[in-house]
Amino acid sequence: MHTAKPRFLFCQIFLWGNLDMILILKKNATKQQIDTLCHSLKSKGLSLHQSEGEQSHIIGLVGDTKSLDMDSLRANPAVEEVRRISEPYKKANRKFHPQDTIVNCSGVLVGGGNFAVMAGPCSVESPEQITLVAQEVKKAGASILRGGAFKPRTSPYSFQGLRDDGLELLRHARSLTGQPIVTEIMNTEHLPLFEDVDVIQVGARNMQNFELLKELGKLNKPILLKRGLSATLEEFVMSAEYIMAGGNENVILCERGIRTFETSMRNTLDISAVPMLKKMSHLPVIIDPSHAAGLSWMVEPLAMAAIAAGADGLMIEVHNDPANALSDGAQSLTPKQFSALMQRVCPLLTLMEKQLN
Ligand code: PEP
Ligand code: MN
């Protein structure tokens, strides 16, 4: 056991290096309580570095602490405070995987300098609508067709999506344009219906549907994970970790605006999430400016900001008749507006040294 004066404690903790967690023990902890705690930690394969000063007794833990339960440690009679030093996510962590991950969406690459635009209507509404929009967004330069078949709506009385028929219409549109499709899953029971979908989207409302994330972790298919309405970035990356822990490392993170005190827009686009997520994780990060703003005229400036901040792609809602859209008309661009946006976006991508796929 090391002994150190309090002022040296933190220098010593620094010198231990590679610490994963620190436990600060209670002043009145008994030797027996401390021994029991140390024994239990060692039995979990952790190595312990102790520092006992006049004011405090600290145990530094090195090893795989990700499955340690912080709450039960806090409840231990010998423990005053628990601090995690390393992040609780490993597979998604850039520290252990410095290179950018490139996710292959049926031939369309996202990440590591590859930029992809996913565009299409909020909801698949009819054969005419989806085939027309699919052709228009392809012509304008989008590489992946989006469209919701199962819709998570705030009101049970709003249009809920065409469901299985919507998926069939997306597959039909893909057969016409050759573009991969991305569409949202809401329920593990629907998984068999998504076998032939190129990219499965997990919507903001399901970001912490852990049972769904675990099932998606068993697939070998790209997952587009959207940030929850009020999720911290660590919670967001932990949700990606759920999918990756199951073996599926093809995860794309999507920032789509968060809830703040601002009411003039549907949500507030968290642009700072792009550089921060890229620092935290090696996974590609895309931006959905449509759901962030909820206003069609804001989509282009936010898309430009996303690219300037280093995003790896965009998801944009496009509708042939936004005024009569069955969902999210106010934020949907017409094909003409989308084409104009693509014209503006391309030079910026060149400037940012991104390859539009
Ligand atoms: C969508 O993409 O249509 C959607 C519902 O998005 P979000 O989950 O971000 O609200
Ligand atoms: Mn929508």
Side-chain angles (χ1 to χ4, degrees):
M1 190 182 290
H2 303 274
T3 15
K5 293 225 156 60
R7 67 176 179 278
F8 295 130
L9 280 180
F10 286 97
C11 300
Q12 190 170 355
I13 289 166
F14 179 72
L15 288 174
W16 288 338
N18 294 326
L19 276 187
D20 291 286
M21 199 180 269
I22 288 176
L23 307 181
I24 301 168
L25 302 191
K26 283 189 179 143
K27 276 208 185 107
N28 59 358
T30 65
K31 183 172 180 317
Q32 197 193 343
Q33 285 171 331
I34 298 172
D35 288 347
T36 312
L37 172 67
C38 292
H39 179 75
S40 127
L41 292 166
K42 280 182 191 156
S43 72
K44 295 190 166 90
L46 298 164
S47 47
L48 274 48
H49 296 258
Q50 301 210 35
S51 186
E52 209 178 331
E54 282 159 30
Q55 302 296 325
S56 47
H57 183 170
I58 295 177
I59 304 179
L61 305 183
V62 179
D64 189 0
T65 56
K66 67 178 185 299
S67 54
L68 278 189
D69 182 2
M70 305 264 291
D71 287 336
S72 55
L73 280 174
R74 285 194 179 102
N76 187 292
V79 174
E80 178 74 40
E81 211 179 316
V82 183
R83 293 206 199 133
R84 210 178 253 294
I85 310 292
S86 67
E87 299 81 7
Y89 46 93
K90 302 288 171 211
K91 292 198 175 255
N93 199 325
R94 191 176 283 275
K95 269 190 205 153
F96 309 116
H97 188 295
Q99 327 84 294
D100 288 341
T101 281
I102 300 174
V103 176
N104 186 336
C105 304
S106 304
V108 178
L109 303 183
V110 188
N114 299 284
F115 194 92
V117 179
M118 310 178 185
C122 178
S123 302
V124 179
E125 297 175 7
S126 68
E128 297 73 28
Q129 174 240 23
I130 193 67
T131 51
L132 175 73
V133 177
Q135 279 154 349
E136 293 284 349
V137 297
K138 181 178 183 183
K139 204 161 59 181
S143 47
I144 298 179
L145 175 67
R146 70 144 284 147
F150 292 89
K151 295 302 302 175
R153 305 303 302 280
T154 303
S155 165
Y157 308 114
S158 301
F159 176 59
Q160 302 287 306
L162 295 182
R163 304 172 73 84
D164 318 31
D165 293 342
L167 292 179
E168 183 50 40
L169 293 179
L170 281 170
R171 284 192 285 266
H172 178 65
R174 176 177 60 191
S175 72
L176 297 178
T177 64
Q179 285 181 311
I181 51 178
V182 54
T183 190
E184 177 168 354
I185 191 165
M186 297 200 336
N187 191 320
T188 50
E189 283 164 29
H190 295 158
L191 264 167
L193 299 171
F194 283 70
E195 248 164 45
D196 195 22
V197 164
D198 300 283
V199 182
I200 300 183
Q201 175 173 323
V202 177
R205 290 154 192 82
N206 267 316
M207 188 203 84
Q208 287 191 320
N209 181 340
F210 299 119
E211 291 302 314
L212 176 60
L213 300 178
K214 282 190 225 167
E215 286 304 314
L216 297 174
K218 296 179 188 161
L219 308 181
N220 181 24
K221 197 188 265 298
I223 308 297
L224 177 75
L225 179 65
K226 289 188 141 196
R227 181 178 180 185
L229 276 66
S230 51
T232 65
L233 295 180
E234 185 171 292
E235 287 165 342
F236 188 19
V237 176
M238 284 304 282
S239 289
E241 186 80 11
Y242 256 93
I243 301 170
M244 298 173 88
N248 186 357
E249 306 208 346
N250 306 301
V251 182
I252 301 171
L253 302 172
C254 178
E255 157 62 32
R256 45 76 74 204
I258 48 171
R259 282 268 167 92
T260 67
F261 49 82
E262 182 52 60
T263 55
S264 59
M265 295 159 283
R266 186 175 180 181
N267 293 292
T268 300
L269 180 61
D270 182 7
I271 280 288
S272 35
V274 179
M276 186 55 88
L277 284 170
K278 285 182 156 283
K279 182 172 187 296
M280 295 164 77
S281 176
H282 50 88
L283 297 173
V285 180
I286 73 162
I287 289 278
D288 170 351
S290 308
H291 289 88
L295 301 162
S296 61
W297 63 268
M298 277 188 85
V299 171
E300 184 179 299
L302 295 185
M304 303 289 272
I307 297 168
D312 300 297
L314 292 168
M315 171 171 263
I316 295 181
E317 287 189 340
V318 180
H319 197 283
N320 52 316
D321 183 8
N324 289 302
L326 295 182
S327 60
D328 288 351
Q331 67 199 34
S332 299
L333 301 184
T334 61
K336 196 165 162 224
Q337 289 167 328
F338 177 66
S339 173
L341 174 146
M342 290 301 287
Q343 298 293 318
R344 296 255 295 147
V345 150
C346 286
L348 191 51
L349 287 175
T350 313
L351 199 68
M352 294 296 292
E353 297 176 349
K354 298 269 185 188
Q355 167 76 42
L356 179 63
N357 288 322

